[in-house]
Amino acid sequence: MEAKEAPPRSYASGGDRISALPDGVRDLVLSFLPAHEAVRTAVVARSWRDLWTRSPALRITRWGSIEKFNKFVERLLRLHCSAPVSGRYPCSDPRAAPARLDSCHFDFITPDFVGEIESMTIYEKLANYWFHCALQCQVRVLQYCFSRIGNPLELLDMTLVSGHLTKLELAGVSTGSNINLSGCPVLQDLKMEDCYLHLEEIQSPYLQHLRMASCCFLLRHRTLIRLPSIISLELTQCSGRAPFLDSMPSLATAIVTFDSDNWYDGCSLSSIDVCDSDDCEGCDYYYSDPNTDRTNCLLLNGLSEATDLELSAYPETVVFRRDLKFARTFCKLKTLVLADWFVADDLSALIWFLHHSPVLEKLTLHISKVHENAMTAEQSCKLPERSVASSHLKIVEIKCHQVDGIVIEIFKILTAHGVPSEQINIKCSTGSGYVNFKCTGFSTK
């Protein structure tokens, strides 16, 4: 009796629909799974046996003991690496075939190592080994994230060499090694978050985009940032000493915000010069670094080529105001956002930018604190005899809680510098948003 062919499995009855997808699509699906779960799919069916080895991305999360986990990671990276993994780091071989790995994401959290604290030193050595192994896999995007409670994970060697790496993300790590990316000619993006940077220099002749958020710099010295090809720069909510920015001739967009309460460049007396107070940690060591002296501009000269700029800090933070004494003209600046710090020193910082931004088109001023009283006559700035504001300036926005003495003084300064009152838009916060209104003038009575 002739055997009958088994009827095809009905997908409607719960069959394996994923296996029917093309290999390229299945490879992509596996790239979203943690690596150890992707490996387990080898038992799904014969067609899945080696599928996980072709995944374009690795997502490595902690499981099992450190010993088993290390063996797994080492074997996993060896399979994706075009050169043998041996010794301290894998050795690159220019004759090897290109690897297929597009991205590698290490994602660890402190609870992964609860009960194994005595092994943290060994783990850090392994973590450094994995980091450099991933680079030798010719990975294009490398993410190394350590969400922590307590001490960060230390990366020992940050002189990186890769001809394929285009994007690097670091989170929850620390390093005392200078970050030298000169050996990464195609690396364009660097993102760092919640990192401790106890180093003297960050340099790369090729990097185009740098974003640093909630990072901690040295407390008694300044880190030199040397990035001649940088296009966009973000330094947000960082602590420690403000870095020293070298020339950035290609810079287009920059955001620098100092919002931390313990920012080390604040002055207890809000002095424009280094004060003589023995208790002022902000002024102590302010010019102690060999890269700076009392005629150095720490930040603003490095930002002077920007077309779009945001500078935000508490009024007590003096680094911007001290920089204005030595800063160059912002010849390309078209949009400018100033928040809080500019209200100190009789609004002289606002006046400086009106004088030194010849092509400025839009100005936004944020005032988070309510100033109940207007400035006195002695405090009020001397108004110019002729217009000096940019003829391109068409929009000025003042965002505040209420129209107080500072807002009135700002309005006077703007109109005296040639900004028509109808181009000044005041936005008052209501808690759920802003109320917009135009102002045509203020009575002096």
Side-chain angles (χ1 to χ4, degrees):
M1 184 175 178
E2 185 179 354
K4 294 183 179 180
E5 184 178 353
R9 178 178 293 182
S10 171
Y11 293 141
S13 62
D16 183 5
R17 296 188 179 187
I18 296 181
S19 292
L21 295 173
D23 282 353
V25 177
R26 288 190 292 169
D27 294 347
L28 183 61
V29 171
L30 289 183
S31 70
F32 290 99
L33 293 176
H36 61 282
E37 293 184 6
V39 171
R40 291 172 182 168
T41 62
V43 301
V44 171
R46 180 174 299 177
S47 63
W48 286 75
R49 184 172 299 172
D50 299 319
L51 192 62
W52 64 273
T53 65
R54 302 196 298 270
S55 174
L58 292 179
R59 298 179 181 273
I60 300 174
T61 57
R62 174 67 195 278
W63 61 271
S65 67
I66 287 183
E67 291 78 11
K68 289 183 178 180
F69 182 63
N70 176 51
K71 290 180 180 179
F72 170 77
V73 174
E74 189 176 54
R75 182 166 181 260
L76 187 68
L77 292 175
R78 185 182 292 115
L79 288 171
H80 284 83
C81 196
S82 61
V85 179
S86 61
R88 185 184 178 203
Y89 303 132
C91 301
S92 60
D93 183 356
R95 299 169 297 177
R100 295 182 295 269
L101 192 59
D102 289 326
S103 66
C104 185
H105 185 183
F106 293 87
D107 191 0
F108 304 128
I109 58 177
T110 300
D112 289 338
F113 308 97
V114 172
E116 298 179 281
I117 301 301
E118 67 279 0
S119 302
M120 281 300 293
T121 301
I122 298 175
Y123 166 70
E124 283 194 339
K125 291 181 180 179
L126 292 174
N128 278 266
Y129 174 68
W130 302 332
F131 180 80
H132 287 273
C133 282
L135 289 176
Q136 293 298 329
C137 290
Q138 300 181 4
V139 65
R140 284 181 277 275
V141 178
L142 177 57
Q143 298 173 301
Y144 212 85
C145 303
F146 190 76
S147 301
R148 61 182 181 81
I149 303 174
N151 294 327
L153 174 71
E154 185 174 3
L155 291 178
L156 302 175
D157 185 0
M158 290 302 294
T159 299
L160 307 185
V161 178
S162 171
H164 298 80
L165 188 66
T166 62
K167 184 176 182 179
L168 176 63
E169 295 187 17
L170 302 173
V173 303
S174 70
T175 182
S177 169
N178 288 343
I179 298 178
N180 187 344
L181 306 176
S182 301
C184 303
V186 296
L187 179 60
Q188 296 186 351
D189 294 86
L190 173 61
K191 178 181 178 181
M192 307 183 74
E193 185 173 355
D194 194 25
C195 294
Y196 280 67
L197 305 175
H198 301 159
L199 44 83
E200 295 180 354
E201 187 173 11
I202 300 173
Q203 66 161 312
S204 169
Y206 313 109
L207 197 70
Q208 296 184 9
H209 309 282
L210 172 63
R211 182 179 184 272
M212 304 178 71
S214 302
C215 292
C216 181
F217 290 102
L218 290 166
L219 303 183
R220 295 191 175 186
H221 299 281
R222 300 195 185 277
T223 299
L224 172 62
I225 298 182
R226 194 190 302 272
L227 305 171
S229 299
I230 201 75
I231 295 174
S232 66
L233 173 70
E234 290 187 35
L235 301 176
T236 57
Q237 296 183 341
C238 293
S239 59
R241 295 288 174 181
F244 180 78
L245 300 183
D246 202 5
S247 175
M248 299 178 178
S250 301
L251 186 65
T253 303
I255 300 174
V256 182
T257 65
F258 299 143
D259 297 327
S260 177
D261 288 331
N262 63 346
W263 180 250
Y264 277 79
D265 283 324
C267 177
S268 58
L269 302 178
S270 295
S271 174
I272 194 64
D273 298 304
V274 176
C275 71
D276 297 325
S277 174
D278 295 333
D279 299 326
C280 183
E281 294 186 358
C283 292
D284 199 16
Y285 304 105
Y286 191 89
Y287 288 118
S288 64
D289 194 89
N291 294 318
T292 63
D293 57 37
R294 291 180 180 269
T295 61
N296 268 131
C297 191
L298 302 178
L299 295 168
L300 293 186
N301 279 348
L303 303 172
S304 61
E305 300 294 331
T307 56
D308 302 279
L309 180 63
E310 178 178 342
L311 302 175
S312 175
Y314 288 137
E316 294 79 12
T317 304
V318 296
V319 64
F320 290 142
R321 291 187 282 134
R322 289 178 181 175
D323 266 8
L324 290 177
K325 296 184 293 182
F326 316 109
R328 295 192 291 262
T329 296
F330 283 70
C331 296
K332 301 177 183 178
L333 190 61
K334 293 185 177 181
T335 63
L336 173 64
V337 179
L338 302 177
D340 289 327
W341 68 274
F342 73 95
V343 302
D345 290 334
D346 305 339
L347 298 169
S348 58
L350 171 61
I351 296 175
W352 189 95
F353 277 102
L354 291 174
H355 281 251
H356 294 84
S357 306
V359 297
L360 187 64
E361 297 176 358
K362 181 179 180 181
L363 173 63
T364 302
L365 305 173
H366 289 265
I367 307 171
S368 61
K369 182 181 178 181
V370 175
H371 300 264
E372 296 183 355
N373 298 319
M375 290 183 176
T376 65
E378 291 76 13
Q379 293 174 316
S380 183
C381 296
K382 182 179 180 180
L383 300 179
E385 297 179 356
R386 60 184 179 85
S387 172
V388 294
S390 166
S391 60
H392 302 273
L393 186 57
K394 303 301 180 184
I395 302 175
V396 177
E397 290 183 346
I398 304 174
K399 296 183 178 181
C400 58
H401 287 285
Q402 67 182 41
V403 178
D404 55 15
I406 290 294
V407 174
I408 294 173
E409 197 70 20
I410 290 173
F411 186 89
K412 291 178 181 179
I413 289 172
L414 292 171
T415 53
H417 282 76
V419 182
S421 58
E422 60 269 17
Q423 293 179 1
I424 303 174
N425 184 19
I426 301 176
K427 297 184 176 183
C428 287
S429 174
T430 62
S432 58
Y434 285 95
V435 174
N436 301 339
F437 62 91
K438 295 286 185 180
C439 187
T440 58
F442 291 101
S443 173
T444 58
K445 295 183 179 180

